[in-house]
Structure formats: C-alpha cells, structure tokens
Amino acid sequence: AASCERRKACLRYSFRGDQIKPGIKELLQALFAANIPCVVASSTKTEIVLKYLKRAGIDKYFSFVIGGDKVNESKPNPEIFLKAWKSVDVPLEAALILEDSENGLLASKNANMSSICIPDLKFPEPEYESIPAYIVETGLDVIDILGI
C-alpha cells in the first residue's frame, strides 16, 4: 500500500440519506484549510449527490461532483475516478480516494490511485483488505494519517 504523506487529495464520499460519517466534516474543513482540492465520484446519480451535499451543508468543499449517470461503466471500472481526477490539477500519484465499498476499492486499484477505506455497512472481505493504504473508522483518522 502507498504511504500517505501530506499531499493533495482527490476525495470520494458516499452518502446514506443526509447523514455524514463521523469526522468527515472536520476532514473536509482541514483539507479546505490546506488548499487540498476535493471532488466527489459517486455511483449515485449526480443530481441526487448534489442534493445530499447541499442538504448536509458540505457542498462548498467540493470543486467537482460526478455521479454514476455520467460514466459508461460502473465500479470496479475506474472510469468515474479518472474523470473526477481529471477535474483537478493533481498528479495521479498524489490523488487519494476515500472509499467505503469493495467495488470502489477495486476501482481505486484499477485506476492506480491510493485509497483509504472508511467502511460503511460492512468491513471489506479479507481479499480486499490489502487494497487500501489504511482501513479506518472515521474521517478524523484520515486527518491524522495525512498530518493536516
């Protein structure tokens, strides 16, 4: 797994209704303060993702949002992550994906992008545990890892 130093990040976040995972708002604030661009690449329709971001009060932290309706193939195909990455001026090796699903972890691997897993409904099965650089509980853990 890739080491995580303080670097620019390409951020993907998934939504369950309008609830935000613990520590995500603090993580977004820290990334914003460090001038690290954040984007969303979600399998959910773009229009719905935009609505959730706004309802959760975190839409201002993202410079680009892409949903599953804007790509030809879904995860584990890396298309959505690569489209999101192209929206920011960040070298591929400096991009970081926050992911909660096994297909998303595979997509990050297929895109040759580093990832951190913040499990949602279930912990990744053993065959997926080696894909992310870290598996953490909250966004606060990511702040510590990135040193921001």
Side-chain angles (χ1 to χ4, degrees):
S3 80
C4 289
E5 303 166 9
R6 183 176 174 169
R7 57 186 171 175
K8 294 187 175 190
C10 186
L11 178 64
R12 183 262 183 203
Y13 181 67
S14 70
F15 294 89
R16 299 276 184 248
D18 58 356
Q19 296 183 344
I20 302 174
K21 288 183 181 186
I24 291 297
K25 191 161 193 173
E26 294 87 348
L27 173 59
L28 290 170
Q29 291 167 340
L31 291 167
F32 186 80
N35 293 314
I36 297 173
C38 297
V39 301
V40 175
S42 174
S43 298
T44 302
K45 252 179 107 171
T46 305
E47 178 182 323
I48 295 170
V49 174
L50 290 167
K51 182 175 85 173
Y52 288 153
L53 290 169
K54 186 170 179 120
R55 186 184 304 160
I58 58 174
D59 55 316
K60 66 183 175 186
Y61 296 110
F62 299 100
S63 61
F64 181 79
V65 176
I66 185 170
D69 58 313
K70 304 292 184 188
V71 294
N72 295 316
E73 295 194 47
S74 58
K75 300 170 196 170
N77 186 291
E79 179 185 7
I80 196 164
F81 288 147
L82 294 172
K83 282 189 173 186
W85 165 69
K86 287 178 182 176
S87 75
V88 292
D89 185 25
V90 174
L92 187 65
E93 60 275 4
L96 175 67
I97 295 173
L98 298 187
E99 184 54 71
D100 63 1
S101 73
E102 292 168 346
N103 273 343
L105 292 173
L106 282 174
S108 71
K109 179 180 179 182
N110 292 337
N112 293 314
M113 296 171 130
S114 297
S115 64
I116 294 177
C117 181
I118 306 177
D120 192 15
L121 300 177
K122 75 180 210 65
F123 198 83
E125 293 295 325
E127 61 265 32
Y128 300 96
E129 289 180 5
S130 66
I131 296 173
Y134 298 91
I135 299 175
V136 300
E137 292 183 16
T138 74
L140 298 176
D141 299 317
V142 179
I143 292 172
D144 290 341
I145 290 166
L146 296 178
I148 55 173

